[in-house]
Amino acid sequence: MSDFQIRREESESRGRYVTVVDGVEAELTFSKAGTGMIIADHTGVPREIGGRGVGLALAEAMIADARAAGIKVMPLCPFVNAQFKRHPDWSDLLP
């Protein structure tokens, strides 16, 4: 895991992981699909903070929470989908 301070915000149907780096906000958003799955639908890391591993840190926070909660993750976001391909140890979380 990274040293970024990441917080999870959520409502009944949606949520996001968010961090602020050098005053710039980055997020990974998700939708809830029932009680057993979330759909990772968007990762936004502004260019000013790109290349520092911020997106991966957001994805890792989501993965850790999904594992702890025993839920699956559908990676519709292209970035999250690419991370699933790079991290075969995450495959147990795929629906």
Side-chain angles (χ1 to χ4, degrees), residues 8 17 35-36 38 62-72 93:
R8 182 177 69 201
Y17 289 86
T35 58
I38 60 172
M62 177 191 64
I63 292 299
D65 285 353
R67 277 220 169 91
I71 62 173
K72 300 293 185 182
L93 297 176

Side-chain angles (χ1 to χ4, degrees), residues 70-90:
I71 62 173
K72 300 293 185 182
V73 177
M74 181 177 291
L76 290 187
C77 165
F79 175 80
V80 174
N81 191 35
Q83 292 306 313
F84 264 88
K85 290 176 182 171
R86 289 185 184 116
H87 296 89
D89 56 309
W90 295 1

Side-chain angles (χ1 to χ4, degrees), residues 8-71:
R8 182 177 69 201
E9 301 172 348
E10 62 184 301
S11 67
E12 279 192 41
S13 62
R14 300 196 46 77
R16 72 180 188 145
Y17 289 86
V18 63
T19 189
V20 177
V21 178
D22 296 338
V24 179
E25 183 179 276
E27 69 176 359
L28 187 160
T29 62
F30 63 89
S31 300
K32 295 179 182 179
T35 58
M37 184 169 62
I38 60 172
I39 301 167
D41 48 32
H42 172 73
T43 303
V45 177
R47 184 171 292 157
E48 301 94 320
I49 59 173
R52 298 190 202 180
V54 177
L56 177 58
L58 293 167
E60 288 174 336
M62 177 191 64
I63 292 299
D65 285 353
R67 277 220 169 91
I71 62 173

